[in-house]
mmCIF file of all heavy atoms in Angstrom:
data_model
loop_
_atom_site.group_PDB
_atom_site.id
_atom_site.type_symbol
_atom_site.label_atom_id
_atom_site.label_comp_id
_atom_site.label_asym_id
_atom_site.label_seq_id
_atom_site.Cartn_x
_atom_site.Cartn_y
_atom_site.Cartn_z
ATOM 1 N N LEU A 102 74.485 -14.275 7.905
ATOM 2 C CA LEU A 102 73.607 -14.497 9.056
ATOM 3 C C LEU A 102 73.084 -15.916 8.927
ATOM 4 O O LEU A 102 72.369 -16.248 7.996
ATOM 5 C CB LEU A 102 72.467 -13.482 9.060
ATOM 6 C CG LEU A 102 71.589 -13.455 10.309
ATOM 7 C CD1 LEU A 102 72.408 -13.141 11.558
ATOM 8 C CD2 LEU A 102 70.484 -12.414 10.156
ATOM 9 N N ARG A 103 73.481 -16.741 9.867
ATOM 10 C CA ARG A 103 73.242 -18.177 9.737
ATOM 11 C C ARG A 103 72.226 -18.631 10.783
ATOM 12 O O ARG A 103 72.339 -18.283 11.962
ATOM 13 C CB ARG A 103 74.572 -18.904 9.935
ATOM 14 C CG ARG A 103 74.544 -20.377 9.640
ATOM 15 C CD ARG A 103 75.852 -21.041 9.979
ATOM 16 N NE ARG A 103 76.963 -20.685 9.114
ATOM 17 C CZ ARG A 103 78.144 -21.291 9.147
ATOM 18 N NH1 ARG A 103 78.347 -22.264 9.998
ATOM 19 N NH2 ARG A 103 79.113 -20.916 8.345
ATOM 20 N N ALA A 104 71.261 -19.435 10.355
ATOM 21 C CA ALA A 104 70.271 -20.008 11.279
ATOM 22 C C ALA A 104 70.733 -21.405 11.654
ATOM 23 O O ALA A 104 70.955 -22.236 10.775
ATOM 24 C CB ALA A 104 68.910 -20.070 10.616
ATOM 25 N N THR A 105 70.883 -21.651 12.938
ATOM 26 C CA THR A 105 71.334 -22.978 13.383
ATOM 27 C C THR A 105 70.371 -23.535 14.410
ATOM 28 O O THR A 105 69.579 -22.804 14.993
ATOM 29 C CB THR A 105 72.739 -22.905 14.033
ATOM 30 O OG1 THR A 105 72.609 -22.271 15.320
ATOM 31 C CG2 THR A 105 73.723 -22.134 13.189
ATOM 32 N N GLY A 106 70.484 -24.833 14.636
ATOM 33 C CA GLY A 106 69.614 -25.459 15.636
ATOM 34 C C GLY A 106 68.487 -26.193 14.937
ATOM 35 O O GLY A 106 68.634 -26.695 13.837
ATOM 36 N N GLN A 107 67.328 -26.198 15.567
ATOM 37 C CA GLN A 107 66.188 -26.941 15.024
ATOM 38 C C GLN A 107 65.356 -26.059 14.119
ATOM 39 O O GLN A 107 64.668 -25.155 14.592
ATOM 40 C CB GLN A 107 65.303 -27.409 16.172
ATOM 41 C CG GLN A 107 65.468 -28.833 16.538
ATOM 42 C CD GLN A 107 64.248 -29.323 17.327
ATOM 43 O OE1 GLN A 107 63.130 -28.824 17.172
ATOM 44 N NE2 GLN A 107 64.465 -30.274 18.180
ATOM 45 N N ILE A 108 65.459 -26.296 12.821
ATOM 46 C CA ILE A 108 64.604 -25.541 11.903
ATOM 47 C C ILE A 108 63.968 -26.513 10.912
ATOM 48 O O ILE A 108 64.609 -27.433 10.424
ATOM 49 C CB ILE A 108 65.391 -24.441 11.149
ATOM 50 C CG1 ILE A 108 66.632 -24.996 10.469
ATOM 51 C CG2 ILE A 108 65.784 -23.323 12.097
ATOM 52 C CD1 ILE A 108 67.477 -23.930 9.792
ATOM 53 N N LEU A 109 62.682 -26.342 10.661
ATOM 54 C CA LEU A 109 61.954 -27.200 9.733
ATOM 55 C C LEU A 109 61.895 -26.530 8.372
ATOM 56 O O LEU A 109 61.919 -25.301 8.287
ATOM 57 C CB LEU A 109 60.515 -27.398 10.208
ATOM 58 C CG LEU A 109 60.287 -28.040 11.561
ATOM 59 C CD1 LEU A 109 58.797 -28.066 11.854
ATOM 60 C CD2 LEU A 109 60.864 -29.435 11.594
ATOM 61 N N ARG A 110 61.721 -27.324 7.342
ATOM 62 C CA ARG A 110 61.617 -26.737 6.008
ATOM 63 C C ARG A 110 60.446 -25.769 5.925
ATOM 64 O O ARG A 110 60.468 -24.802 5.177
ATOM 65 C CB ARG A 110 61.482 -27.804 4.938
ATOM 66 C CG ARG A 110 60.102 -28.436 4.870
ATOM 67 C CD ARG A 110 59.875 -29.238 3.614
ATOM 68 N NE ARG A 110 60.585 -30.493 3.645
ATOM 69 C CZ ARG A 110 60.350 -31.494 2.814
ATOM 70 N NH1 ARG A 110 59.443 -31.370 1.869
ATOM 71 N NH2 ARG A 110 61.033 -32.601 2.894
ATOM 72 N N ASP A 111 59.439 -26.026 6.756
ATOM 73 C CA ASP A 111 58.264 -25.165 6.759
ATOM 74 C C ASP A 111 58.569 -23.793 7.336
ATOM 75 O O ASP A 111 57.727 -22.913 7.311
ATOM 76 C CB ASP A 111 57.152 -25.839 7.549
ATOM 77 C CG ASP A 111 57.007 -27.310 7.156
ATOM 78 O OD1 ASP A 111 57.805 -28.127 7.669
ATOM 79 O OD2 ASP A 111 56.158 -27.614 6.312
ATOM 80 N N GLN A 112 59.770 -23.635 7.853
ATOM 81 C CA GLN A 112 60.170 -22.353 8.415
ATOM 82 C C GLN A 112 61.162 -21.624 7.513
ATOM 83 O O GLN A 112 61.530 -20.483 7.790
ATOM 84 C CB GLN A 112 60.796 -22.558 9.803
ATOM 85 C CG GLN A 112 59.793 -23.116 10.800
ATOM 86 C CD GLN A 112 60.425 -23.559 12.093
ATOM 87 O OE1 GLN A 112 61.440 -24.256 12.107
ATOM 88 N NE2 GLN A 112 59.815 -23.170 13.196
ATOM 89 N N PHE A 113 61.590 -22.279 6.434
ATOM 90 C CA PHE A 113 62.625 -21.679 5.580
ATOM 91 C C PHE A 113 62.226 -20.291 5.100
ATOM 92 O O PHE A 113 63.038 -19.369 5.082
ATOM 93 C CB PHE A 113 62.912 -22.554 4.356
ATOM 94 C CG PHE A 113 63.695 -23.795 4.636
ATOM 95 C CD1 PHE A 113 63.945 -24.707 3.624
ATOM 96 C CD2 PHE A 113 64.185 -24.076 5.913
ATOM 97 C CE1 PHE A 113 64.671 -25.876 3.866
ATOM 98 C CE2 PHE A 113 64.902 -25.239 6.168
ATOM 99 C CZ PHE A 113 65.157 -26.141 5.137
ATOM 100 N N LEU A 114 60.987 -20.172 4.675
ATOM 101 C CA LEU A 114 60.574 -18.891 4.107
ATOM 102 C C LEU A 114 60.576 -17.800 5.181
ATOM 103 O O LEU A 114 61.017 -16.670 4.944
ATOM 104 C CB LEU A 114 59.186 -19.046 3.486
ATOM 105 C CG LEU A 114 58.738 -17.967 2.521
ATOM 106 C CD1 LEU A 114 59.808 -17.611 1.523
ATOM 107 C CD2 LEU A 114 57.469 -18.431 1.806
ATOM 108 N N PHE A 115 60.101 -18.146 6.370
ATOM 109 C CA PHE A 115 60.147 -17.169 7.465
ATOM 110 C C PHE A 115 61.586 -16.753 7.739
ATOM 111 O O PHE A 115 61.887 -15.576 7.956
ATOM 112 C CB PHE A 115 59.582 -17.762 8.763
ATOM 113 C CG PHE A 115 58.106 -18.051 8.736
ATOM 114 C CD1 PHE A 115 57.625 -19.301 9.072
ATOM 115 C CD2 PHE A 115 57.191 -17.051 8.413
ATOM 116 C CE1 PHE A 115 56.261 -19.568 9.079
ATOM 117 C CE2 PHE A 115 55.822 -17.317 8.421
ATOM 118 C CZ PHE A 115 55.362 -18.586 8.748
ATOM 119 N N LEU A 116 62.483 -17.747 7.718
ATOM 120 C CA LEU A 116 63.888 -17.469 8.029
ATOM 121 C C LEU A 116 64.496 -16.531 6.998
ATOM 122 O O LEU A 116 65.174 -15.564 7.339
ATOM 123 C CB LEU A 116 64.678 -18.785 8.089
ATOM 124 C CG LEU A 116 64.316 -19.693 9.271
ATOM 125 C CD1 LEU A 116 64.832 -21.113 9.045
ATOM 126 C CD2 LEU A 116 64.888 -19.135 10.567
ATOM 127 N N VAL A 117 64.228 -16.822 5.757
ATOM 128 C CA VAL A 117 64.791 -15.972 4.700
ATOM 129 C C VAL A 117 64.222 -14.560 4.795
ATOM 130 O O VAL A 117 64.936 -13.567 4.686
ATOM 131 C CB VAL A 117 64.519 -16.617 3.317
ATOM 132 C CG1 VAL A 117 64.761 -15.630 2.191
ATOM 133 C CG2 VAL A 117 65.382 -17.853 3.151
ATOM 134 N N ARG A 118 62.910 -14.495 5.029
ATOM 135 C CA ARG A 118 62.290 -13.170 5.130
ATOM 136 C C ARG A 118 62.781 -12.401 6.347
ATOM 137 O O ARG A 118 62.781 -11.180 6.355
ATOM 138 C CB ARG A 118 60.765 -13.308 5.180
ATOM 139 C CG ARG A 118 60.167 -13.769 3.848
ATOM 140 C CD ARG A 118 58.682 -14.042 3.989
ATOM 141 N NE ARG A 118 57.952 -12.821 4.276
ATOM 142 C CZ ARG A 118 56.782 -12.787 4.915
ATOM 143 N NH1 ARG A 118 56.221 -13.896 5.327
ATOM 144 N NH2 ARG A 118 56.188 -11.634 5.120
ATOM 145 N N ALA A 119 63.193 -13.124 7.376
ATOM 146 C CA ALA A 119 63.686 -12.427 8.576
ATOM 147 C C ALA A 119 65.128 -11.967 8.394
ATOM 148 O O ALA A 119 65.637 -11.209 9.216
ATOM 149 C CB ALA A 119 63.579 -13.335 9.795
ATOM 150 N N GLY A 120 65.788 -12.427 7.336
ATOM 151 C CA GLY A 120 67.128 -11.915 7.051
ATOM 152 C C GLY A 120 68.245 -12.944 7.059
ATOM 153 O O GLY A 120 69.401 -12.604 6.820
ATOM 154 N N PHE A 121 67.910 -14.221 7.332
ATOM 155 C CA PHE A 121 68.964 -15.230 7.298
ATOM 156 C C PHE A 121 69.335 -15.528 5.850
ATOM 157 O O PHE A 121 68.462 -15.684 5.006
ATOM 158 C CB PHE A 121 68.478 -16.529 7.958
ATOM 159 C CG PHE A 121 68.310 -16.420 9.441
ATOM 160 C CD1 PHE A 121 67.052 -16.189 9.997
ATOM 161 C CD2 PHE A 121 69.395 -16.551 10.303
ATOM 162 C CE1 PHE A 121 66.885 -16.085 11.376
ATOM 163 C CE2 PHE A 121 69.238 -16.456 11.684
ATOM 164 C CZ PHE A 121 67.980 -16.213 12.220
ATOM 165 N N ASP A 122 70.651 -15.621 5.568
ATOM 166 C CA ASP A 122 71.020 -16.013 4.217
ATOM 167 C C ASP A 122 71.644 -17.404 4.155
ATOM 168 O O ASP A 122 71.785 -17.967 3.076
ATOM 169 C CB ASP A 122 71.941 -14.969 3.562
ATOM 170 C CG ASP A 122 73.161 -14.659 4.411
ATOM 171 O OD1 ASP A 122 73.167 -14.968 5.618
ATOM 172 O OD2 ASP A 122 74.115 -14.084 3.863
ATOM 173 N N VAL A 123 71.971 -17.955 5.307
ATOM 174 C CA VAL A 123 72.499 -19.321 5.325
ATOM 175 C C VAL A 123 71.737 -20.107 6.385
ATOM 176 O O VAL A 123 71.535 -19.627 7.502
ATOM 177 C CB VAL A 123 74.011 -19.343 5.652
ATOM 178 C CG1 VAL A 123 74.524 -20.767 5.807
ATOM 179 C CG2 VAL A 123 74.789 -18.620 4.558
ATOM 180 N N LEU A 124 71.290 -21.307 6.002
ATOM 181 C CA LEU A 124 70.535 -22.142 6.935
ATOM 182 C C LEU A 124 71.306 -23.433 7.193
ATOM 183 O O LEU A 124 71.742 -24.096 6.236
ATOM 184 C CB LEU A 124 69.162 -22.496 6.354
ATOM 185 C CG LEU A 124 68.318 -21.338 5.819
ATOM 186 C CD1 LEU A 124 66.947 -21.849 5.377
ATOM 187 C CD2 LEU A 124 68.134 -20.250 6.868
ATOM 188 N N ASP A 125 71.448 -23.755 8.452
ATOM 189 C CA ASP A 125 72.124 -24.997 8.842
ATOM 190 C C ASP A 125 71.033 -26.036 9.043
ATOM 191 O O ASP A 125 70.303 -26.008 10.018
ATOM 192 C CB ASP A 125 72.905 -24.743 10.143
ATOM 193 C CG ASP A 125 73.754 -25.925 10.544
ATOM 194 O OD1 ASP A 125 73.592 -27.007 9.966
ATOM 195 O OD2 ASP A 125 74.585 -25.744 11.447
ATOM 196 N N VAL A 126 70.921 -26.910 8.052
ATOM 197 C CA VAL A 126 69.717 -27.735 7.961
ATOM 198 C C VAL A 126 69.909 -29.107 8.580
ATOM 199 O O VAL A 126 70.855 -29.809 8.261
ATOM 200 C CB VAL A 126 69.329 -27.890 6.477
ATOM 201 C CG1 VAL A 126 68.166 -28.840 6.328
ATOM 202 C CG2 VAL A 126 68.977 -26.537 5.913
ATOM 203 N N ALA A 127 68.984 -29.518 9.433
ATOM 204 C CA ALA A 127 69.131 -30.793 10.134
ATOM 205 C C ALA A 127 68.804 -31.988 9.248
ATOM 206 O O ALA A 127 69.440 -33.025 9.330
ATOM 207 C CB ALA A 127 68.258 -30.798 11.374
#
Side-chain angles (χ1 to χ4, degrees):
Chain A
L102 189 60
R103 188 185 290 189
T105 72
Q107 258 199 28
I108 52 184
L109 300 177
R110 76 166 74 166
D111 314 81
Q112 296 170 313
F113 286 176
L114 196 46
F115 293 127
L116 292 164
V117 166
R118 290 174 66 206
F121 290 98
D122 54 343
V123 174
L124 309 184
D125 186 348
V126 175

